[in-house]
Amino acid sequence: MSLAKRPVFQALKCCAGDVTRSIKPTITLSILEFNLQKCRNPKEFLQIHAQMVASGFIRDTFAASRLLSFSAASPFLGLDYSRRLLHQIDNPNAFTWNTLMRACIHRNSPQFALPLYRSMLGGDSAPDSYTHPIVIHASAVRSSEVEGKLIHAHVVKFGFDSDVYVLNTLINMYSVCGNLTDARHLFDRSPVLDSVSWNSMLAAHVQAGDVKEAFRLFDSMPEQNTIAANFMIALFGKCNLVSDARKLFDGMDARDVVSWTAMISCYEQNELFAEALEMFHRMKREGVSMDEVVMVSALSACTKLGANKKGEVIHGLIIKDGLDSCINPRNALIYMYSNHGNIVAARQLFDSCSFLDQISWNSMISGYLKCGLIDEARALFDAMPLKDAVSWSTMIAGYAQHDRFMETLELFSEMQVGHIKPDETPLVSVISACARLSALEQGKWVHAYIKKNGFAINVFLGTTLIDMYMKCGTVETAMEVFNGMKHRGTSTWNAVILGLAMNGLVKESFEKFEEMKRCGVPPNEITYVGVLGACRHAGLVDEGRQHFNTMKQVHGILPNIKHYGCMVDLLGRAGLLREAEELVESMPMAPDVATWGALLGACKKHGATDVGERVGKKLIELEPHHDGFHVLLANIYASKGKWDDVMELRGTMRQRGVMKIPGCSMIESDGVIHEFLAGDRTHPHIEKIDKMLEEMARRLKLEGYQPDTTDVVYDIEEEEKETTLYRHSEKLAIAFGLISTPPPAPIRIMKNLRICGDCHDAAKIISRAFQREIILRDRQRFHHFRQGLCSCTDFW
């Protein structure tokens, strides 16, 4: 919109017309000063302006400069108006130009300062000793060293290179732009050094994190003033030198509010939250006036400590000191209340804000997500007037953390459409979602995006990629990522050890475990979950016992519930039911659902009906709403033909409202996730799937396949049981994979439950009959079906 068409200027133009027709063209300097002091809106200002034009007083340079000074500083007049006013002054002097250039910086428009400086040089005005510091400061604000160097050349040309004020602004400009060499060169050659010079140079080394040089400079200062000490406390805080910061703080002759804030922030940055709050209360006791910065640091400490009551007390202080209208304390309060689960108080603060910035919106969205209110977070996200990268990252991470993986991928796609460049956080969330959905193609796309945009594969990102590829059954690519990483954390080794074991590569998993120890990386609890898991997947009982004992005796790691669960599963699968039950009874903690389920599953596997019934009944008493225990016990009854017991158990489930989680199999095709339930007929390609199912049945029978109906817990005819088996979700997904995935690409399927025995047998035969590799990940492990064999060697 052009200047003339803006509503405020249209109003001013009309006002000017009225004034010039009605007033007498008489005004003096004293009247001008009096009228400017009373001016409260654009219309009043324009009346004064019009008087000066009508009287010709605008040609008085001093009077016109006063008018311009007021305009440039006025909150109700734009900079464009002041620039137009400048052009009405016949002989603007350096003061006039400086006034407008300084206003550009104060009003967040430093980019206009240099063009004004060029216009000044093109006229009759010469810069004075205040001009160059203003333009240099504008360059520093924009971190534009190129512009700063051009002004530096002009400083030398006009002979201001010995002016200490000019030199100080140059030192600051080079420091802000990261050029400590030129900053130090000016400092060392300066004929006069005042406290500002020393503080500017010290601030440069503090900003660079150069502790040694900053300390040497601080020690060399003729006068170690409060400002310099504050800089050093801030530096010590950044460099984890808390005791040094406290020693300096205690030794200060005079402290201001910045000193206290720096010390509190030092504690808070180094996660010494109790000490930060103690310092805050000491500051309050000594009667030091508090600003919004120190309030924010104290609230952050309360949030990290979970100190709800102390946070509420600080909220009262904020209101008492009149800081409740400041946006930063309000944002800190929103963040604190939402972290403490008081989402109602957080939303009340949010709604009562007269001004909301990006942090306000992002904090509120984050608060909803932390409280599990996903839909409320999404509604607020959709209502945001402007979404930044943090907004997108927060919402994407929230979906992933709450297992809403399809929404995670969908929102990431929307982010790409909006041309918002993601950082590491959403990428990790998206990769994790791909891992959980076995969405390999989308995971590969994200990996390619990371490479294309030059993201460093750090420990966090690399570990997530390894986990994704392992959970998609692409072991070779996972190992390529692992081998290409410069730095590996314990989590990285764990991802490889667990991934190899899950994919049936038990020997390789053990080899990586030994290599991890040789590299000096100490194993932790998760490492041993992977090692014991490898033993479990391969049925290595003796090795499992050995590792179970070694983790405590050699590495001092006390077995937790997951380690016991692995051992119970290992012993149970091997048929050592008595030993498995004794281990459950001897556990130092209460057995969890997974541990009892492992024992019950072993009873079913080995036909231990009596033990299975006893364990199953006990489990249903302990967990009356757990569907898995009811189903396992029903399978045990069905395997012995106890159909009355099956029906009674199913009646109990109906009475208690226990719903069996339906088996669901997912397969990715052309970047789209397709889901299948048992007996599903809703897929748009169901007719083609049905034809493929018929072809699968034909080839299976030619291979001698006989359906295993032992797991069908219905007292129905065998033929009907076989029909039910043929429409299990795994088989539907395999059929879809055969028609949608061109060979030789593997058919990759993920199932939310454990694969049933019949589908396992059928998948082996299909892999040979159709000459296709099938990679199926169930709740327990991977099954790589190739040429009639499975990587699990039928031990699952």
Side-chain angles (χ1 to χ4, degrees), residues 508-519:
E508 291 83 350
S509 179
F510 289 148
E511 288 173 353
K512 283 297 171 190
F513 176 58
E514 295 302 323
E515 185 184 341
M516 175 186 183
K517 292 188 288 185
R518 286 196 302 273
C519 290

Side-chain angles (χ1 to χ4, degrees), residues 435-481:
R436 295 294 294 270
L437 294 172
S438 286
L440 178 61
E441 292 307 313
Q442 294 195 50
K444 282 182 176 179
W445 183 90
V446 177
H447 191 183
Y449 181 91
I450 289 168
K451 290 178 180 177
K452 180 181 177 181
N453 288 276
F455 284 92
I457 304 292
N458 56 23
V459 171
F460 195 35
L461 203 53
T463 301
T464 311
L465 280 168
I466 290 168
D467 181 64
M468 184 271 293
Y469 281 120
M470 287 292 189
K471 285 179 177 172
C472 289
T474 314
V475 177
E476 297 81 3
T477 312
M479 294 311 300
E480 286 175 11
V481 175

